[in-house]
């Protein structure tokens, strides 16, 4: 081995701390005491339940080998590409089977998120190393040597299971070439053939339900569809039926629809009626007016529902409001489909189960939302403006305005001092 580079894959021989808290502590204790080798208790992990989407180990191994082969191509292409041919041939012969090249390939063989690939590589790295240095010449196919012969994860194409048994139809042509053999190429699976549409049988060597043999020879079978309702047929025409699908009856090599509604085959609820369809039937709900029915609409009722009455051949709504059915004062009746309800008359509303007259609010004045203190201030401002205006005119020497000013002051003073003046002015401001 070259000592130029050692990747984690080749450090198995060096003592490494085991994973986990307890094993690591015991390992450290053994080194501290100078014991000849690490001593720890191997704790068995709980069994893991396999995920339904987890790939089969064979598929993981195949992907690992494919990635390994791509790495071989990449390392040759990146390291040699022209120039001194003699020099390259000499160097290439040394690099081709070197540990350095193997390390470079293994470093990129698994993606970071592919846990299954990393786990398989860790388990098989010694086998890969052995193949690289000792087995390449006698076993050039790494997939066959590693995945099938050594790890026994895979089987040859056309075989399945722990013993690599041939699939139905033979390993050369599993499932006749018209289906997929379950577990093919792996050490698992049942070997059951999942046939393509139109094919059936253990090895997909027959035509399936609703198909007929249009062509057959020693190696091929062509299956074509029968006419719609035919389960088995001798050809594509309507008159080629040999067996009918469910809901159909064979009559003179033709499949005729069975009317389940006219027989006892239909099973519908008490408030439903039967409607025949091609090859089957439907149960639909009766009209609201019916208690049981023979078809759609109020004219097909067996009996009328409460709130309905028979009028001729139909069940029609009863108008309960024609009778005195609302005893409350100021109530009136409103008819509904199959029933009625009592509501308050116009201008009334219901309060605690009684219809009372609605109160119409009085129209509000412009200053109706003002507080008492705001009204007092507004009154004082109003009187002040009037007095100031009259005083201004009187100061000009006009005797008429002077007399009016003196009279207004005397009158306003009297009203101001009286309780009535507040109510009068407040009513004036509020629009009363």
């Amino acid at each position: 081995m070259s000592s130029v580079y050692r990747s984690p894959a080749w450090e198995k021989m060096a003592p490494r701390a085991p994973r986990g808290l307890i094993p690591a502590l015991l390992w450290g204790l053994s080194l501290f005491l100078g014991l000849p080798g690490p001593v720890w208790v191997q704790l068995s992990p709980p069994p893991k339940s396999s995920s339904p989407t987890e790939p089969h180990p064979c598929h993981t191994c195949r992907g690992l080998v494919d990635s390994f082969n791509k790495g071989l191509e990449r390392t040759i292409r990146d390291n040699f590409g022209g120039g001194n041919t003699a020099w390259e041939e000499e160097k290439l012969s040394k690099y081709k089977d070197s540990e350095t090249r193997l390390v470079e390939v293994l470093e990129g063989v698994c993606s970071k998120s592919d846990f299954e690939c990393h786990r398989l590589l860790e388990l098989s790295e010694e086998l890969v190393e052995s193949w690289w240095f000792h087995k390449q010449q006698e076993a050039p196919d790494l997939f066959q040597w590693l995945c099938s012969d050594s790890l026994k994860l895979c089987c040859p194409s056309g075989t399945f299971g722990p013993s690599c048994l041939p699939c139905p139809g033979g390993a050369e042509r599993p499932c006749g070439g018209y289906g997929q053999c379950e577990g093919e190429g792996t050490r698992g699976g049942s070997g059951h053939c999942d046939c393509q549409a139109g094919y059936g049988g253990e090895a997909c060597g027959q035509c399936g339900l609703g198909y007929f043999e249009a062509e057959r020879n020693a190696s091929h079978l062509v299956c074509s569809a029968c006419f719609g309702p035919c389960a088995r047929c001798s050809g594509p025409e309507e008159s080629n039926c040999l067996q009918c699908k469910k809901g159909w009856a064979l009559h003179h090599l033709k499949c005729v629809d069975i009317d389940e509604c006219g027989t006892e085959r239909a099973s519908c609820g008490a408030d439903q009626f039967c409607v025949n369809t091609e090859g089957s039937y439907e149960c639909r709900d009766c009209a609201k007016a019916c208690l049981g029915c023979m078809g759609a609409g109020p004219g097909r009722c067996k009996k009328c529902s409460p709130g309905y009455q028979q009028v001729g051949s139909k069940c029609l709504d009863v108008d309960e409001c024609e009778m005195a059915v609302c005893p409350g004062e100021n109530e009136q009746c409103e008819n509904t489909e199959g029933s009625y309800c009592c509501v308050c008359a116009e201008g009334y509303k219901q309060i605690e189960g009684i219809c009372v007259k609605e109160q119409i609010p009085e129209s509000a004045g412009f200053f109706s939302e003002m507080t008492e203190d705001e009204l007092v201030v507004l009154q004082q401002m109003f009187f002040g403006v009037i007095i100031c205006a009259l005083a201004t005119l009187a100061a000009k020497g006009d005797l008429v305005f002077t007399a009016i000013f003196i009279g207004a002051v005397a009158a306003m003073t009297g009203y101001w001092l009286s309780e009535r003046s507040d109510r009068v002015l407040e009513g004036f401001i509020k629009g009363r």
Side-chain angles (χ1 to χ4, degrees):
M1 295 287 179
S2 172
S3 59
V4 177
Y5 177 81
R6 288 176 65 87
S7 74
W10 316 119
E11 293 175 357
K12 278 192 167 183
M13 299 305 295
R16 291 182 294 179
R19 296 179 181 177
L21 178 61
I22 294 176
L25 291 175
L26 295 174
W27 181 83
L29 181 61
S30 67
L31 291 181
F32 177 76
L33 296 176
L35 297 177
V39 178
W40 59 77
V41 178
Q42 181 65 43
L43 301 178
S44 299
K48 297 182 180 180
S49 58
S50 58
S51 171
T53 57
E54 184 175 325
H56 192 277
C58 175
H59 300 152
T60 304
C61 192
R62 183 181 294 276
L64 186 150
V65 171
D66 290 344
S67 181
F68 186 91
N69 290 332
K70 291 179 181 178
L72 293 179
E73 297 176 4
R74 172 178 49 80
T75 51
I76 287 293
R77 182 178 62 252
D78 292 349
N79 287 280
F80 302 93
N84 191 327
T85 305
W87 181 88
E88 283 191 359
E89 288 179 354
E90 178 184 357
K91 295 298 181 182
L92 181 58
S93 61
K94 296 180 181 179
Y95 175 76
K96 180 180 178 182
D97 299 322
S98 67
E99 180 186 358
T100 301
R101 185 186 181 195
L102 177 60
V103 170
E104 291 177 0
V105 172
L106 289 178
E107 283 180 342
V109 78
C110 295
S111 64
K112 293 182 179 180
S113 60
D114 194 344
F115 172 75
E116 295 300 324
C117 179
H118 284 284
R119 184 169 64 175
L120 181 62
L121 180 60
E122 184 177 355
L123 293 173
S124 61
E125 59 185 0
E126 291 183 357
L127 289 172
V128 174
E129 180 183 359
S130 175
W131 176 85
W132 180 258
F133 292 109
H134 309 294
K135 302 291 185 179
Q136 282 196 68
Q137 300 301 323
E138 60 183 89
D141 187 345
L142 176 60
F143 173 78
Q144 177 68 32
W145 185 87
L146 177 66
C147 302
S148 295
D149 300 339
S150 300
L151 296 177
K152 298 190 182 303
L153 299 176
C154 302
C155 288
S157 178
T159 63
F160 74 98
S163 302
C164 294
L165 299 176
C167 290
E172 296 296 325
R173 193 177 172 85
C175 301
Y178 301 109
Q180 179 64 46
C181 175
E182 184 184 352
E184 180 188 359
T186 74
R187 299 283 175 146
S190 64
H192 173 76
C193 285
D194 183 13
C195 301
Q196 300 173 6
Y199 295 85
E202 182 182 0
C204 305
Q206 304 172 8
C207 291
L209 194 67
Y211 290 81
F212 69 96
E213 290 186 9
E215 184 180 343
R216 179 190 282 271
N217 57 32
S219 59
H220 290 84
L221 170 65
V222 178
C223 296
S224 298
C226 297
F227 183 76
C230 300
R232 289 195 307 111
C233 63
S234 59
E237 303 298 330
E238 181 183 5
S239 58
N240 294 141
C241 295
L242 302 176
Q243 180 183 344
C244 297
K245 296 179 181 178
K246 183 180 179 181
W248 302 82
L250 187 63
H251 182 69
H252 297 305
L253 298 180
K254 292 184 179 181
C255 289
V256 181
D257 176 50
I258 297 174
D259 185 1
E260 292 87 355
C261 299
T263 66
E264 295 182 356
R265 298 188 181 188
S267 177
C268 294
D271 291 326
Q272 293 181 319
F273 64 95
C274 179
V275 177
N276 187 54
T277 61
E278 285 195 353
S280 186
Y281 68 94
E282 294 178 355
C283 292
R284 300 179 184 176
D285 293 335
C286 297
K288 185 179 180 181
C290 301
L291 280 179
C293 63
M294 298 173 289
R300 304 298 305 276
C301 298
K302 295 179 181 179
K303 290 180 63 177
C304 296
S305 300
Y308 295 85
Q309 62 183 352
Q310 187 84 28
V311 179
S313 61
K314 295 184 178 181
C315 289
L316 301 181
D317 175 51
V318 175
D319 187 357
E320 294 86 354
C321 295
E322 293 180 353
M323 301 173 284
V325 292
C326 294
E329 187 177 359
N330 301 319
E331 286 185 339
Q332 65 182 25
C333 177
E334 285 188 0
N335 188 51
T336 60
E337 186 71 19
S339 186
Y340 70 95
C341 62
C342 296
V343 297
C344 293
E346 187 177 356
Y348 292 83
K349 64 180 180 179
Q350 192 175 60
I351 300 177
E352 296 181 356
I354 301 174
C355 292
V356 297
K357 191 173 182 63
E358 291 183 307
Q359 298 294 329
I360 302 175
E362 296 181 1
S363 59
F366 182 73
F367 300 100
S368 60
E369 296 182 359
M370 296 182 66
T371 64
E372 294 296 329
D373 293 338
E374 290 172 340
L375 284 174
V376 171
V377 173
L378 187 61
Q379 290 174 5
Q380 294 173 351
M381 293 174 62
F382 177 74
F383 284 131
V385 171
I386 297 299
I387 292 175
C388 288
L390 294 174
T392 301
L393 294 173
K396 293 182 178 181
D398 193 319
L399 295 178
V400 176
F401 283 107
T402 301
I404 294 174
F405 168 70
I406 294 173
V409 171
M412 291 178 188
T413 302
Y415 272 92
W416 185 270
L417 297 176
S418 67
E419 295 179 358
R420 184 183 177 190
S421 64
D422 290 339
R423 294 195 299 272
V424 172
L425 185 58
E426 182 179 350
F428 169 75
I429 293 175
K430 289 186 175 182
R432 299 177 183 173

